Amino acid sequence: MIRTPLALIPYLIAALAVGAGLLWHAGDLLSATNPVASQGEALVGGPFRLIDQDGNERRAADFHGRFMLVYFGYSNCPDVCPTTLAVMADALDKLGPRAGRVVPIFVTVDPERDTPKVLKAYLKAFGPRFVGLTGAEKEVAAAGRAYRVYYKRAPLKDGGYAMDHSSHIYLMGPDGKFIADYDETLGPDGLADALRKQL
Ligand code: NI
């Protein structure tokens, strides 16, 4: 005969909960072995605290509710950056009124030279839509890490420097989460078509 089985129930529940907890952690460990396949892309993006071309502090949360098209580069870039910014600007023009839901954002990887004033003058060439962001080196580095952006100073023979950098146009959703990334090889029509499917 079993004595007072009811009194054991709380202990059984506790044991089951511990067991379930262990399984849960085992699941975490298993998924951690293959993070790229399960959620790698979703890890692009996150909070930032930077200064725009008018000198105002801007945080990622300020843009929630709208799509962000985010590109990291620098104003002294001889080729890829201006090409990419032109593609972004032209693609948005092609979207018509729907472009109002998208904020194109240029984040400098060269905050030493790209002051708000420099960014303001530079971005004028690409129409009125762009928000240019710069800030303290530390804050720019944090934003770059959040967006998985590679960049590195490359000294030039004349004593100046260029910035090596990765080149991705990130589309972030109104919730601030990563949706897709593109690059300038799509051209304005290709980028506009890709955006139309997401907006
Ligand atoms: Ni560039």
Side-chain angles (χ1 to χ4, degrees):
M1 183 179 165
I2 299 161
R3 268 189 73 220
T4 59
L6 283 177
L8 290 173
I9 286 173
Y11 298 100
L12 286 170
I13 289 171
L16 284 170
V18 168
L22 289 173
L23 285 174
W24 182 267
H25 282 289
D28 279 353
L29 289 172
L30 285 174
S31 66
T33 60
N34 197 2
V36 173
S38 60
Q39 57 180 350
E41 297 271 64
L43 295 176
V44 171
F48 56 73
R49 193 179 68 189
L50 297 166
I51 308 292
D52 72 15
Q53 71 265 50
D54 293 315
N56 301 312
E57 184 177 288
R58 305 296 285 267
R59 294 169 183 248
D62 297 343
F63 300 98
H64 288 184
R66 297 174 76 191
F67 291 85
M68 293 190 288
L69 207 51
V70 185
Y71 185 71
F72 285 73
Y74 70 114
S75 72
N76 279 271
C77 181
D79 40 43
V80 180
C81 289
T83 304
T84 305
L85 294 176
V87 166
M88 290 167 71
D90 291 350
L92 290 175
D93 285 346
K94 286 171 189 294
L95 282 180
R98 264 197 277 189
R101 300 172 63 195
V102 185
V103 192
I105 299 178
F106 179 65
V107 186
T108 185
V109 295
D110 184 14
E112 187 178 317
R113 291 184 294 197
D114 285 341
T115 61
K117 204 174 145 190
V118 167
L119 284 182
K120 189 165 184 158
Y122 178 66
L123 289 172
K124 275 203 178 118
F126 303 99
R129 301 182 202 269
F130 274 93
V131 172
L133 296 178
T134 183
E137 201 129 339
K138 206 176 83 184
E139 301 292 353
V140 169
R145 276 196 303 276
Y147 279 82
R148 304 289 183 100
V149 172
Y150 161 84
Y151 64 93
K152 192 169 190 275
R153 195 181 280 224
L156 298 174
K157 279 191 182 138
D158 68 4
Y161 63 91
M163 298 296 292
D164 291 337
H165 67 97
S166 52
S167 183
H168 295 277
I169 303 167
Y170 297 107
L171 178 65
M172 312 299 289
D175 57 359
K177 296 213 168 97
F178 173 85
I179 295 175
D181 74 277
Y182 314 107
D183 67 43
E184 84 290 351
T185 60
L186 282 176
D189 289 309
L191 181 57
D193 286 345
L195 292 175
R196 243 178 237 117
K197 287 176 194 144
Q198 302 290 352
L199 300 181

